[in-house]
Structure formats: C-alpha cells, structure tokens
Amino acid sequence: MNSVTQTFKAWAFQDVVSDPRARRGLALVAFVLATAFGAQVGVRFPWTQVPMTLQPLFVILAGAVLGPRLGAMAIATYVMVGAAGAPVFSNGAAGLPWLLGPTGGYLLAMPAAAFVTGAVAGASAGALRLFLGLTLGTVTIYAGGVSWLLLVSGGGLATALSLGVVPFIAGDVTKIFIAFFAAKSLQGTSFGRL
C-alpha cells in the first residue's frame, strides 16, 4: 500500500468516538440501518416469492467486521425491529406475519449467519478463513430459508432449492466477494477493532 493510501486510510478511520461501548453501539446501529437499506434494494423474480436483496451482504459483513456476538446482536436487532412493525424488510414490509411468510426462514437465520461468519472469520483472519466464514454465513442463510420454505410450501427439497437457492447463487457469490474485500480493507483499522 502506498503512503497516500495509508494516510487516507488513517484519516478516514480515525477514532471519532473513543468510548468502546459507544463505538460498539454505533456500529450495531450502523449495521441495523445498513441491513434495512439493503432490504430495500431488491429484485423480484416472477417464479419465486423470495426477492434478491442486499441484506445478505450486510449480514455476513456484520459478522466479519463486528465479530460473532456483536454481529449477531446487530442482525437480531434488525429482525426484532422489523417484527415490531418498522418497515425495514424487503419492499418496506414489516411485522410478525412477514416472518411467517416465505422469507421468514431467511430472516430468522440471519443472526445465526452473522454469528457463524464472525466465529469462523475471527478478528484478524487470513484470507482463506475470512472467505470460508463469509461463505458459511451465506450457507446458513440458505439453510434457514430452505428449511422454512419446506415447511410453508409443502413442496419437496428440489422445489425449495430451485425457488430459494438456485436463483440467488450468482448474486450471493458476488456479495461474498464484496464483503471479503470490504472486511479485508477494515482489518487493522479502528473500525475493525470493535
């Protein structure tokens, strides 16, 4: 990294808030808001009720950057805020009925996905461990979503996979790579040391 980039990085990530508890709280709120924003950036496919959104990107990034506990807490807060009625789910949806619909399994699996990502990736993970953590976090979201689709649709595993996984693989691989580079760039910064 050249000196200009290092200087900019040091300036951009300087400590604005020095109290560690306040920094963790702000980071938690930032990921709740980012995940809510990511839910609004979506594409609907006509053959499935599950939209493609940017939520998984922020879920796995929360685990990789904040660690397993704080990352899971941030995403659990997001799910609870949506369940309480704030319009933070895809297309401004909210409430407990949304968690009982076809996308409920994905949403309920997201805190676990952030935890898995953070637990595998660790605070200063090497590239392979970070990539593995991000991938396992995404697989955790898929597992929750497909399990729930099996329950609510009454179809078989092949149907649940074709509706809830296959259309999203390319997009989620892209999200894994974006999260990988974002998390790697934050390692060693004050943000990466929450």
Side-chain angles (χ1 to χ4, degrees):
M1 201 180 300
N2 66 31
S3 62
V4 173
T5 305
Q6 286 178 327
T7 302
F8 178 73
K9 192 173 180 179
W11 175 80
F13 293 106
Q14 63 183 329
D15 291 338
V16 176
V17 177
S18 58
D19 181 32
R21 290 173 298 194
R23 289 177 53 196
R24 287 191 293 274
L26 288 172
L28 183 141
V29 169
F31 272 100
V32 169
L33 293 173
T35 308
F37 169 75
Q40 307 316 310
V41 180
V43 175
R44 284 211 170 270
F45 299 120
W47 61 86
T48 181
Q49 294 178 331
V50 180
M52 179 186 294
T53 68
L54 289 179
Q55 284 169 306
L57 170 65
F58 296 110
V59 170
I60 60 177
L61 196 55
V65 172
L66 302 180
R69 285 188 223 94
L70 188 59
M73 188 182 308
I75 302 306
T77 302
Y78 161 75
V79 172
M80 288 186 292
V81 164
V88 296
F89 297 147
S90 178
N91 296 322
L96 284 174
W98 192 257
L99 293 178
L100 300 175
T103 61
Y106 297 94
L107 291 167
L108 293 172
M110 286 180 179
F115 185 87
V116 167
T117 301
V120 173
S124 58
L128 184 59
R129 234 174 95 190
L130 176 60
F131 189 78
L132 180 63
L134 296 167
T135 302
L136 289 176
T138 302
V139 169
T140 302
I141 295 172
Y142 283 153
V146 167
S147 299
W148 190 255
L149 282 174
L150 284 170
L151 287 174
V152 299
S153 72
L157 180 60
T159 302
L161 289 172
S162 68
L163 295 176
V165 174
V166 174
F168 308 103
I169 291 175
D172 286 338
V173 168
T174 303
K175 293 170 202 165
I176 288 169
F177 278 104
I178 292 169
F180 175 83
F181 290 113
K184 276 310 253 181
S185 70
L186 291 173
Q187 283 181 345
T189 65
S190 60
F191 192 79
R193 293 190 310 263
L194 293 171

